[in-house]
Amino acid sequence: MRRADKGNETAVVEFIILGFQSIPEVQFILFLTFLVTYITTVSGNLLIMLLVVTDHHLHNPMFFFLGNLSFLETCYTSTILPRMLASFLTNKYVISLNGCFLQYFLFTGLAGAECCLLTAMSYDRYVAICKPLRYTTIMNARCCLQLAGGSWLNGLLASAIVTCLMPQLTFCGPNEIDHFFCDFTPVVKLSCSDTHWIELVTFILAFLLTLPPFLLTLISYVYISNTILRIPSSTGRHKAFSTCSSHLTVVTLFYGTLIVVYLVPKTNTLGDLHKVFSVCYTIVTPLVNPLIYSLRNNNIKRALR
């Protein structure tokens, strides 16, 4: 472990990410699993982006947001899995302070952007189902760009604020992160300086980036459900519901695992369980998103054919 003197303290300049070292007997299986997962995730999301760009039938707001989501998911999983795979191969689990802060910035910024982007997609479905005659007027190109750009900006800006505060902390040991990536709580827990301010700022920003988008998404689907239930024919109801079922599945999976990871008390007993749920929303969700949309969306299946 390398250290640098800082006054009377010894400051840590690198971390050791423990990851899944507590179960050494399955390291090779985990490596193969994560390798196949990463290749499949990137291939699936790149395929959706390619279809959205090249197929003129998919040049509408819903698939514009889907293309953004696929690009985001590709970046999202690429901030964690390549480094994890390299650690499995080289048996080196060391990451520098700056590398850890960069990983945190990218991961958190993309997670925040996804919260906002999923809300933008729910608004698109709300307008399409509840205000169909005004859909093309409301969801014009300018509105779509503003919603997508605002989602990326909000997530990255909030992440940048917290990341700029993290170098002000002093880390004087221990330097072992009991996680498989540089998440906020495992990193800040290692600091030997006062962390109240950064925890307060992070809580406020996380609150603003998750609860309002979640509530807006929930409200959108309440209106969507009421509108669908008023459709007289069962065929019409099924068709209307099928246009938003994929998005609803993704939202449920993303927020469900997010709530378990960050709201369930973090005890030693639940430590490994938190890692499992963290794998769900950081690795499994980007994997299943293209699968959900390709299997449940007729336009995507038609474009694939």
Side-chain angles (χ1 to χ4, degrees):
M1 178 176 67
R2 296 180 320 203
R3 294 171 178 264
D5 291 332
K6 187 175 181 180
N8 294 326
E9 298 177 333
T10 305
V12 172
V13 296
E14 61 185 23
F15 292 121
I16 297 173
I17 299 180
L18 296 180
F20 300 95
Q21 294 183 63
S22 59
I23 42 176
E25 62 275 6
V26 295
Q27 295 295 294
F28 182 68
I29 296 174
L30 287 175
F31 169 75
L32 287 180
T33 302
F34 289 135
L35 178 62
V36 172
T37 299
Y38 183 60
I39 293 173
T40 307
T41 300
V42 173
S43 301
N45 283 296
L46 285 178
L47 178 60
I48 286 183
M49 284 188 278
L50 181 65
L51 291 175
V52 170
V53 171
T54 58
D55 193 317
H56 70 277
H57 294 104
L58 304 182
H59 291 177
N60 59 52
M62 181 174 74
F63 294 105
F64 168 75
F65 290 121
L66 178 57
N68 268 270
L69 181 64
S70 294
F71 178 66
L72 187 149
E73 299 283 28
T74 303
C75 299
Y76 189 63
T77 194
S78 295
T79 63
I80 296 173
L81 272 180
R83 184 169 194 87
M84 190 192 301
L85 292 171
S87 296
F88 280 124
L89 282 177
T90 62
N91 206 30
K92 293 180 180 178
Y93 298 88
V94 175
I95 186 172
S96 67
L97 247 68
N98 289 334
C100 188
F101 295 155
L102 177 61
Q103 186 184 59
Y104 172 79
F105 164 71
L106 293 173
F107 162 75
T108 309
L110 292 168
E114 181 161 359
C115 288
C116 298
L117 192 60
L118 289 174
T119 304
M121 294 174 77
S122 68
Y123 177 70
D124 170 70
R125 292 299 83 205
Y126 160 75
V127 176
I129 294 174
C130 300
K131 302 179 184 296
L133 298 179
R134 299 179 57 197
Y135 180 70
T136 55
T137 304
I138 296 174
M139 299 303 297
N140 53 46
R142 182 180 178 183
C143 178
C144 292
L145 287 173
Q146 287 175 340
L147 288 172
S151 299
W152 285 89
L153 183 62
N154 286 337
L156 294 175
L157 182 60
S159 180
I161 293 172
V162 177
T163 307
C164 287
L165 295 175
M166 293 182 80
Q168 310 303 316
L169 300 175
T170 302
F171 299 92
C172 46
N175 71 332
E176 294 181 339
I177 299 175
D178 188 17
H179 213 345
F180 58 89
F181 68 99
C182 291
D183 203 1
F184 178 79
T185 301
V187 172
V188 171
K189 188 168 65 174
L190 300 178
S191 175
C192 51
S193 53
D194 185 11
T195 61
H196 288 95
W197 278 108
I198 190 171
E199 289 180 25
L200 178 61
V201 171
T202 304
F203 174 79
I204 293 172
L205 291 173
F207 178 85
L208 293 175
L209 270 179
T210 53
L211 188 60
F214 176 73
L215 291 177
L216 287 172
T217 302
L218 192 63
I219 292 169
S220 296
Y221 274 104
V222 168
Y223 281 104
I224 288 170
S225 300
N226 288 335
T227 302
I228 290 176
L229 291 174
R230 288 201 299 267
I231 297 175
S233 67
S234 58
T235 304
R237 286 196 298 271
H238 176 74
K239 185 177 179 180
F241 180 74
S242 66
T243 64
C244 56
S245 59
S246 299
H247 176 256
L248 186 58
T249 304
V250 170
V251 167
T252 303
L253 182 63
F254 179 75
Y255 277 108
T257 53
L258 207 63
I259 288 169
V260 171
V261 170
Y262 291 106
L263 293 186
V264 172
K266 295 172 177 58
T267 63
N268 292 331
T269 307
L270 296 175
D272 291 335
L273 190 60
H274 273 86
K275 286 184 185 179
V276 171
F277 280 104
S278 294
V279 166
C280 287
Y281 85 91
T282 59
I283 297 172
V284 176
T285 302
L287 169 69
V288 300
N289 280 358
L291 191 63
I292 290 171
Y293 278 104
S294 60
L295 291 179
R296 305 191 69 172
N297 191 290
N298 291 328
N299 290 324
I300 291 288
K301 287 190 283 189
R302 194 179 302 116
L304 282 170
R305 286 196 295 268

